[in-house]
Amino acid sequence: MSVLSSRVALGTAIFNTVLACAWSPPACASSHREAPFITRAPKVDATDFYMFRSYEPGRDKFVTLVANYVPLQDPYGGPNYFALDPDALYEIHIDNNGDAREDLTFQFRFANSIKDAQFTVGGKKVSIPLVINGGAIDGVNPPGINVRETYGVTVVRGDRRHGSRAAVTNADGGAAVFDKPIDNIGAKSIPEYAKYAAKHVYNVHIPGCATPGRMFVGQRKDSFVVNLGETFDLINIKAPAVEFSPSAERDARDDLADKNVTSIALEVATSCLTAGGGDPVIGGWTTASLRQGRLLNPAPRSGAGASKEGGAWVQVSRLGMPLVNEVVIGLKDKDRFNHSAPAADGQFADYVTNPTLPALVEVLFGSAGAKAPTNFPRNDLVAAFLTGIKGVNQPATVKAAEMLRLNTAVAPLPMGAQKRLGVIDGDSAGFPNGRRPGDDVVDVALRVVMGKLCTLNIGCAPADAPAGAIRFTDGAYLDDSAFTAAFPYLTTPLAGSPQ
């Protein structure tokens, strides 16, 4: 294959990622603005979901769950910044028996209270206009903040609507209400943000779990890496040569490098997530829901809301495996996917067994050597997305459904030893066996969709994937060095000031 052929094949794979995202400019990523409706509700837009054996030293008996929300946060995005929605329900679901239904759900609800900080001006006390703070911030709920954001967490066992419910509490005092740190406004407001945020990492008692866990909710540096801008400019990217060089994986800009995100991070004892009985595999996904009805207030009074929410919860966001709604689900079904549950994923089966992305690559550039895999149904993609890979992360009993699956029996690798391409590079503790922050899922997804698993005899044979050995990359590099070796792993958010 010529250098041009390799570049065209890579460009086409990226181009079709863009086609899946084009409804919602200016950007999409693992799940940033991926469906028409969710662009109208960014506070409940799930961007990334991670589930992995904790690799912080001494924490290997725990699993870390991280659900990111609110995409494309500019660090200087005041004055309201990026509080989570008090009228929404944020959830992390765990299936531990392979039936594609939640057995354990962590539900997060948020509340914002205005303290109404005032200055005395000309003998009168007048409310300040600053939304967040009127002075320096150095601790949990300090006097200087004008808006306090708190949250509570409920554990539901069984069906998330009707199962048994109990509150997560602070293991160091028993409180069921937790403070969320203010976003990283800048160095004058919060001189040492990392230390300030660390005060919001809580040891928590999770009902039904013998061992306390840890929890953090707050702003972080966006953990996803992707080359977006040049992709949208008619695939104006530099592709690797046929003779692959590692430098090709580092020659493009990460267009999310200057963005923050809001993380819900929870570390739970592995024994509390698995069902027992010898099956160590769990499945996970995250959702967000809004109330069915909204009535706008035409004349909100002081302290009153601008709208009234009511009715049943309606799920509007869903994320398990990364990039599914972007490059797998057809445009007309993207909102349907976000509203659906894994148990109903049979309705989307054709998108996996007969995917359009590799077919489009072959139609446009097949003469240049970018031949799509020939095995139908695409059992390799069924394994990756719907069942887990046998011998890696497939549960003993499995119903085909899209979710992130983790074999908790696979020991974690410490930071520095992890391979960024996970399973396809021989690291069984990485994606798609769960997902760690340093797993480069864009490069993995590009290679898998063009048949990389066939070269490993997973669901197909090497002869089924003529382009399966091409090392596709978007050129935006990611590995575990971009993160920390301790909970919550994602790094300190970028500050709005100084610039």
Side-chain angles (χ1 to χ4, degrees), residues 169-175 201-205:
T169 55
N170 193 327
D172 301 318
V201 174
Y202 299 100
N203 296 312
V204 293
H205 172 64

Side-chain angles (χ1 to χ4, degrees), residues 6 9-10 13 240 244 249 370 442-444 446-447 450 467 470-474:
S6 179
L10 172 64
F244 182 78
E249 296 173 329
V442 172
D443 282 7
V444 175
L446 288 173
R447 300 177 195 193
M450 291 305 291
I470 296 176
R471 298 178 68 171
F472 295 110
T473 179
D474 71 336

Side-chain angles (χ1 to χ4, degrees), residues 245-270:
S245 169
S247 64
E249 296 173 329
R250 302 173 180 263
D251 62 10
R253 183 180 69 185
D254 168 25
D255 286 323
L256 301 182
D258 60 350
K259 304 298 182 184
N260 292 327
V261 74
T262 300
S263 297
I264 295 174
L266 190 61
E267 188 183 57
V268 186
T270 304

Side-chain angles (χ1 to χ4, degrees), residues 40-62:
R40 299 159 56 187
K43 286 182 178 288
V44 289
D45 186 357
T47 67
D48 286 283
F49 177 51
Y50 303 92
M51 181 169 68
F52 55 95
R53 285 275 301 272
S54 298
Y55 55 87
E56 178 181 344
R59 305 294 292 186
D60 60 306
K61 290 182 172 57
F62 291 81

Side-chain angles (χ1 to χ4, degrees), residues 144-200:
I145 64 171
N146 199 19
V147 175
R148 182 187 184 191
E149 189 174 6
T150 58
Y151 63 98
V153 187
T154 300
V155 177
V156 184
R157 296 186 181 275
D159 181 88
R160 59 173 159 165
R161 301 293 184 241
H162 308 294
S164 63
R165 309 169 65 84
V168 171
T169 55
N170 193 327
D172 301 318
V177 176
F178 303 87
D179 276 271
K180 174 180 172 291
I182 300 300
D183 290 349
N184 197 357
I185 301 170
K188 187 174 183 180
S189 291
I190 312 175
E192 296 184 87
Y193 192 88
K195 291 182 179 180
Y196 161 71
K199 296 177 181 179
H200 297 80

